[in-house]
Amino acid sequence: MPFVSRSDDGAVDSVFEQLQEGTAEEFLIDDDPAIVAFQNAPPMVTSVSARQFRLMLRRSGLLAQVKTWVAQQDGETQDAFEYSGTFVKDSPMMTAGFAAMGFTPLQIDGFFAAAAKL
C-alpha cells in the first residue's frame, strides 16, 4: 500500500512505498482509483524527432505559419528549426514559437503527444 503526493489539481503525481514526511503522507490502498489512474497514465512526451514534429505541423495546417515565424527569427533559431534532429518541448525556441502561435500548455502537450505517435 503506497503513500502518495498530489499536484495542485489534486491528482496523484508520485507514489512511494514509505512515508515521505512533508511530501507524501497520504496513505492509499493499491487499487484506489487515484493510484490506478496514476499507474495507467500515458507518459508525458518531452521531445519528438524532427520528422514527427514537421509531420505534425503539416497535418495541423501550421507548417507555413511556423516557417514564416522562423524566417523572422535570429540565425540560431533558423538553424535550430532547419537542422535539429530532435525538438524538445521546453526548449527556448519551442516556448517562443508556441507562444507566438497562441498555444496553451495543454495544447502544446497535445501537439507533442500526437506527434510522438507519427
Side-chain angles (χ1 to χ4, degrees):
M1 292 193 224
F3 290 90
V4 301
S5 65
R6 295 184 182 264
S7 61
D8 291 338
D9 66 2
V12 170
D13 63 7
S14 298
V15 176
F16 302 89
E17 288 186 25
Q18 298 177 5
L19 173 70
Q20 306 293 310
E21 289 197 31
T23 303
E25 298 178 341
E26 181 182 358
F27 184 72
L28 298 176
I29 59 174
D30 289 330
D31 62 350
D32 184 282
I35 296 290
V36 173
F38 174 79
Q39 292 172 332
N40 293 317
M44 292 295 294
V45 177
T46 58
S47 66
V48 295
S49 72
R51 178 190 147 285
Q52 291 169 312
F53 188 79
R54 287 177 180 268
L55 283 174
M56 194 64 212
L57 286 176
R58 185 175 300 282
R59 290 182 182 189
S60 300
L62 296 170
L63 186 58
Q65 184 180 359
V66 169
K67 284 184 174 184
T68 299
W69 178 81
V70 169
Q72 299 168 355
Q73 304 309 303
D74 62 47
E76 287 187 12
T77 300
Q78 292 174 20
D79 288 346
F81 181 76
E82 188 65 31
Y83 300 110
S84 291
T86 303
F87 285 81
V88 179
K89 182 171 62 171
D90 294 332
S91 72
M93 180 182 74
M94 290 288 100
T95 301
F98 279 116
M101 300 297 133
F103 273 59
T104 67
L106 190 58
Q107 289 172 314
I108 297 168
D109 289 343
F111 184 94
F112 269 80
K117 294 177 184 176
L118 299 177

